[in-house]
Each structure stands twice: as structure tokens, then as C-alpha cells.
Amino acid sequence: RACTAGGAASPVEKVVKLLEDLKTRITEDGKKEQTSYDEYACWCEKTTTRKSKAIEDAKHGLGSLGQEILTQRGVIASTTVEIEQTTKDIKENEVAQEKATSIRQKENRAYMEESSELQQAVSALEKAIIVLREAQGGGETALLQKRFMASERGLAA
């Protein structure tokens, strides 16, 4: 490349210079683009691997969750039957309790009436004993004892 006498570059030299500069920039841009592409490709590989593993884990999780759902449905069914039976038993127990309470109340009324009658009879007997004692002269001996004594006297005479 020869320089012209005035130090000015010829138009061909300018074009060559521009093309060389363009080639250098394109090469540098290519290296930058390659670096960016390599980073992006690495990110894609890592992400793809990570997502593939997540998908496999989710598939496995779906299977185990499906089994758990079936198990829990069975538990729900058996618990529902138990609840229904327990509810039935509670109702039966409440009915039996009401019957037993009714019977006990009737028995209590009968007892209270009988007890009242017996207390009145005891009170009447106590009063009768007092009256009989006073009628016999207020002595301490009982009526039967006096009869026994009288019959002994009769035998002795």
C-alpha cells in the first residue's frame, strides 16, 4: 500500500481501510455474540435439565397423590359409616334413657306415696301406743305382760 504524495489516501485505500475496520468490528461482534450465545445455550441446558427433573418428580408425585386420594376416600367412606352408626346408637340411647327416666319417675312417685302412707301408719301406731299406755294407768308394763301375770294368778289360785 503505497501512500500518495500528498499524504492523502486514495479512494481505494479508504475503501480497503473501511473494509478492514468493518471486518475487525464484525469479528469482535461475532466473538461477543458467540459468548452471549454460549451463555444462553448453557442456561438453556441447565434449565431444560432442571425442568425435566421437575416434570419427572411431578409425575411421580401425581402417582403417589392419586394413591393417597384413593386411600383417603376409603377412610372417608368407613368414617361416614361409623358416624351414621354412632348417630343411630345415640338416638337409640336417648330413647332408652327417656324410657328409663320415665320408669324411674313413676317408681319414685310410687315410693314417695308408699313412704308417706307408711310414715302416717307409724305415726298412728306411735299415738296408739301412747293412748294404750295411758289407758292402762300409765304403768311401764306392757298389756301382754299384764295378761300373762293375770293368767299366772289364776292358775295359782
Side-chain angles (χ1 to χ4, degrees):
R1 300 179 194 169
C3 286
T4 56
S10 71
V12 174
E13 288 179 344
K14 286 181 183 179
V15 169
V16 170
K17 173 81 172 133
L18 284 173
L19 287 175
E20 286 177 352
D21 289 344
L22 183 62
K23 178 183 171 189
T24 304
R25 275 191 285 165
I26 289 175
T27 304
E28 288 174 6
D29 286 346
K31 287 179 183 178
K32 288 179 185 177
E33 288 294 323
Q34 185 63 45
T35 303
S36 294
Y37 174 80
D38 290 343
E39 289 175 3
Y40 180 72
C42 182
W43 178 84
C44 287
E45 287 177 19
K46 288 179 182 178
T47 301
T48 301
T49 303
R50 195 172 58 242
K51 295 297 178 183
S52 295
K53 184 178 181 328
I55 289 170
E56 289 300 316
D57 291 346
K59 284 180 182 178
H60 176 69
L62 284 176
S64 64
L65 288 175
Q67 290 298 320
E68 182 66 22
I69 287 171
L70 292 176
T71 301
Q72 293 304 321
R73 282 184 181 168
V75 169
I76 288 170
S78 65
T79 304
T80 300
V81 169
E82 288 178 24
I83 289 171
E84 290 171 355
Q85 183 61 42
T86 303
T87 301
K88 180 182 172 189
D89 292 345
I90 288 171
K91 287 179 183 178
E92 290 173 358
N93 286 339
E94 287 174 346
V95 168
Q97 183 180 6
E98 288 175 11
K99 286 180 182 178
T101 300
S102 174
I103 291 170
R104 286 187 191 103
Q105 287 173 346
K106 288 177 185 176
E107 290 173 349
N108 186 37
R109 279 193 294 271
Y111 168 79
M112 295 304 280
E113 290 173 4
E114 186 178 330
S115 174
S116 175
E117 290 174 11
L118 289 174
Q119 286 177 354
Q120 289 174 358
V122 168
S123 177
L125 288 173
E126 288 174 349
K127 289 178 185 177
I129 290 172
I130 292 172
V131 169
L132 288 173
R133 279 189 185 157
E134 289 175 1
Q136 290 183 358
E140 290 292 322
T141 57
L143 182 62
L144 288 177
Q145 288 176 338
K146 284 187 179 182
R147 282 188 185 169
F148 181 70
M149 291 173 145
S151 67
E152 281 184 356
R153 282 186 207 148
L155 291 175

